[in-house]
Amino acid sequence: FRRPYLIRTIFKMYKLNIKGQKPAWWLALAVFPAYAADAPLPLPDSVIPEPVFFEQTEPPKPSENLLKPPALQQQKPAAALSAEEVRGNAALATALINRALMAQQWDLLAELLALYAQAEGYDAVLYDYARGAWLRSQQRYPEAIALYRGILAQQPDLAYPRFDLGVMLFENRQYREADAELARAKPDLAEPMQQLVERYQAEIARQQRWQPQINLQYEQTDNVNNASAERDIVLNGVRFVKNEESLPQSAHGLRYGVGLGREMNVGGNHFIGADAGFDGVHYWDNQAYNEQSLRLGGAYRWRDFHQNAGVAPFVEQNWLGSARYSRQFGATLDYSRRLNARWQASAAYTHMQRRYAEEEVAKRHNGAFNQLSGTLIWQAAPQWLLFGGADYSRDHTRDKAESSERKGGRIGAVYAGKNWGARTNLRYVLRDFEADNDFYGYPRRDKEYHAAAALWHNKLAWQGLVPKLNFRYLKIDSNMPSFYSRSSAQWFVSVEKAF
């Protein structure tokens, strides 16, 4: 490296560490502070070393002697220097910028850069390099990337800034460009850095390859036919008594699913995707209620560090028992954004058309379904995730008495500890139907109460399969209880694996 001084110093620090036979991954990351506290690098521990977070109280760091160039070891601290001293001495400002960058003192770095830009004879390349580091610490990736591309346009032989650029592009989900920059930098990097490049490249490939999924769960339910437990029906003063088949029925079986999906970066922050899945449930003691579903979908998506937006069309065919029951097709628009280190918001809109196979069912229930939902997520602690949201949906059917509007809210929590994890959520929905019911002569109204929970322990895992104990509960209170009030409770064990 011929210039700037900062880049030479970092490279010397890296070589000194290797010669001392103490290869430390923090030093590889110190070439450019790599990770933001609110964006853990989406790589497994076996792929990329433990990240250095900007906001850590005591981040891993080199020795004090390595942090300070020789000329500064007896120098007074930056806090004791006046603005005039820094502004009037470009060499001093350069050394202070070096120290602030290595110590990840981002507020101090911003102040030093403002003074350095006013110093006579300041190095524009050094300024852009350090400012790019500061912009990256603020997760302002487009600006940081632009600065580093400018540096490399002037000095294309700088391998380590090119590596930094590749990692920034990776973090900003620009995988195709990240892979190209890392591949170009790799031959000129030290061997440990080349290994780090290979890990990034492996993760870029993993993120974009076909991802199979398998899930299997034992299931038991006390109301497989979604029936009301009310035995008597009174209509216009006349009492009717249900037969046994019209009352809630129990069932035991297996729920299963297989799927295959892929998302591929086609340039910049643009992704295209496709997925297919087949799932269902088989009850060995009540096979009339067996279900199967085949789904095909595609997607276009924009992804960067802060946000994720996309449109995903789909088509689905459903079977009940052994006969075709319904098909549906439509599309989902979704958007999510990281608000800060702890908060994230998302929203989704789905439009779907339903078509039923049986003519009598189709006459009443064919129609369109629209749903809008919003979710707010709070990471209260490293192991805790809390969320809440609101949902609105509109079901338009040919029979206005079956058309309905749903309004609801939900809350939940997820705990993911070192050895065990748990998930729970509660949901309330108010469902109002549009027209008078055929039997009762007034509109139907349901209040729905949903609850679900799951518990698992990682020590029970085998070959990546983690069994989970699940509970699901549903209760519907209807103003027409004889037909529509019902409840069901399910305990089941599930096993899932994503490859």
Side-chain angles (χ1 to χ4, degrees):
F1 295 94
R2 297 181 180 178
R3 55 178 291 195
Y5 167 80
L6 171 60
I7 300 176
R8 294 201 309 272
T9 302
I10 297 172
F11 184 53
K12 289 177 181 178
M13 289 166 57
Y14 184 80
K15 291 200 298 183
L16 179 60
N17 182 265
I18 298 301
K19 289 179 179 179
Q21 300 300 313
K22 295 180 181 178
W25 287 113
W26 55 256
L27 192 50
L29 299 175
V31 173
F32 194 105
Y35 309 108
D38 58 343
L41 190 66
L43 308 180
D45 293 340
S46 60
V47 176
I48 291 295
E50 184 71 19
V52 176
F53 294 136
F54 291 149
E55 287 82 359
Q56 282 182 316
T57 305
E58 296 180 0
K61 57 186 179 181
S63 69
E64 289 299 314
N65 287 334
L66 287 180
L67 274 176
K68 301 177 183 178
L72 281 179
Q73 290 182 17
Q74 305 301 322
Q75 187 65 266
K76 55 185 177 180
L81 295 169
S82 67
E84 288 72 19
E85 289 179 276
V86 177
R87 191 183 296 113
N89 189 334
L92 173 62
T94 297
L96 292 173
I97 288 171
N98 176 24
R99 183 192 299 177
L101 181 59
M102 290 298 94
Q104 302 177 3
Q105 296 174 311
W106 304 116
D107 291 340
L108 175 60
L109 179 61
E111 296 177 12
L112 290 171
L113 287 173
L115 296 173
Y116 183 64
Q118 304 172 33
E120 184 178 351
Y122 87 100
D123 190 317
V125 175
L126 166 60
Y127 178 84
D128 287 349
Y129 186 91
R131 178 164 171 77
W134 180 82
L135 288 168
R136 189 181 187 185
S137 75
Q138 307 302 305
Q139 294 94 50
R140 292 165 61 177
Y141 282 93
E143 297 169 79
I145 288 170
L147 282 177
Y148 270 62
R149 282 179 167 156
I151 293 173
L152 293 169
Q154 300 176 55
Q155 301 189 46
D157 59 333
L158 295 179
Y160 282 79
R162 191 175 297 280
F163 167 82
D164 299 335
L165 173 61
V167 175
M168 277 194 293
L169 290 165
F170 172 87
E171 293 171 352
N172 203 43
R173 314 300 188 257
Q174 296 169 252
Y175 295 144
R176 182 180 289 267
E177 296 164 74
D179 188 59
E181 296 295 347
L182 290 169
R184 186 173 175 183
K186 182 181 176 182
D188 299 320
L189 298 174
E191 184 177 350
M193 294 294 291
Q194 291 184 359
Q195 295 174 5
L196 191 57
V197 167
E198 291 171 1
R199 294 185 179 188
Y200 275 107
Q201 291 177 320
E203 180 61 17
I204 289 171
R206 190 190 71 81
Q207 291 273 356
Q208 301 181 88
R209 70 188 180 204
W210 287 101
Q211 306 285 346
Q213 287 187 322
I214 297 175
N215 67 77
L216 182 67
Q217 66 187 49
Y218 167 75
E219 183 169 322
Q220 66 176 32
T221 175
D222 56 3
N223 195 353
V224 69
N225 53 334
N226 296 327
S228 170
E230 296 280 342
R231 184 173 290 273
D232 297 336
I233 301 175
V234 179
L235 295 174
N236 298 321
V238 179
R239 175 175 293 180
F240 299 88
V241 180
K242 296 179 183 177
N243 58 28
E244 291 299 323
E245 292 182 355
S246 300
L247 294 171
Q249 300 179 31
S250 62
H252 304 77
L254 290 175
R255 188 173 292 275
Y256 54 86
V258 293
L260 188 66
R262 184 183 185 187
E263 246 185 35
M264 183 172 60
N265 181 226
V266 293
N269 297 94
H270 304 279
F271 291 75
I272 58 173
D275 65 273
F278 181 78
D279 58 77
V281 58
H282 176 81
Y283 298 109
W284 51 73
D285 54 358
N286 210 334
Q287 297 192 26
Y289 294 95
N290 289 350
E291 299 175 21
Q292 303 87 38
S293 177
L294 176 65
R295 178 186 174 98
L296 301 174
Y300 163 77
R301 190 161 297 281
W302 167 278
R303 297 173 61 196
D304 63 18
F305 178 85
H306 293 285
Q307 57 196 350
N308 188 334
V311 55
F314 61 87
V315 60
E316 185 175 308
Q317 176 66 57
N318 303 304
W319 291 263
L320 180 62
S322 58
R324 289 193 177 190
Y325 181 67
S326 68
R327 60 184 173 89
Q328 45 204 40
F329 53 91
T332 295
L333 299 171
D334 64 270
Y335 177 78
S336 64
R337 184 172 183 85
R338 187 193 314 269
L339 303 178
N340 56 39
R342 294 183 179 272
W343 291 90
Q344 181 172 317
S346 64
Y349 168 73
T350 296
H351 173 78
M352 180 171 63
Q353 295 283 333
R354 289 195 182 115
R355 302 293 182 267
Y356 290 87
E358 293 185 13
E359 185 176 350
E360 291 303 315
V361 177
K363 286 180 181 179
R364 299 191 66 190
H365 295 280
N366 277 3
F369 175 80
N370 295 280
Q371 183 178 50
L372 181 65
S373 63
T375 304
L376 191 62
I377 302 172
W378 177 42
Q379 185 160 3
Q383 296 84 15
W384 281 98
L385 202 68
L386 306 178
F387 63 89
D391 305 290
Y392 174 83
S393 66
R394 189 79 182 158
D395 201 350
H396 297 275
T397 63
R398 289 183 178 179
D399 186 344
K400 297 302 181 183
E402 296 297 327
S403 296
S404 64
E405 178 185 69
R406 275 189 173 100
K407 294 174 284 188
R410 51 196 154 79
I411 57 173
V414 180
Y415 174 79
K418 181 178 180 181
N419 295 319
W420 66 280
R423 180 182 67 250
T424 183
N425 62 277
L426 301 172
R427 183 183 177 204
Y428 171 77
V429 176
L430 181 63
R431 185 180 187 186
D432 287 305
F433 286 76
E434 187 173 320
D436 292 345
N437 184 270
D438 294 340
F439 294 106
Y440 287 89
Y442 53 85
R444 172 183 163 192
R445 165 174 269 205
D446 294 348
K447 297 177 181 179
E448 302 179 9
Y449 305 88
H450 302 253
L455 182 67
W456 63 91
H457 199 291
N458 294 327
K459 289 187 177 180
L460 299 177
W462 178 78
Q463 299 294 318
L465 298 168
V466 181
K468 298 180 181 180
L469 177 63
N470 300 266
F471 174 74
R472 187 183 302 143
Y473 176 78
L474 167 66
K475 181 180 180 180
I476 297 179
D477 284 335
S478 177
N479 63 344
M480 303 175 184
S482 299
F483 279 111
Y484 305 113
S485 289
R486 60 186 172 92
S487 64
S488 64
Q490 296 173 292
W491 287 96
F492 56 94
V493 175
S494 63
V495 178
E496 301 178 3
K497 183 171 184 177
F499 296 84

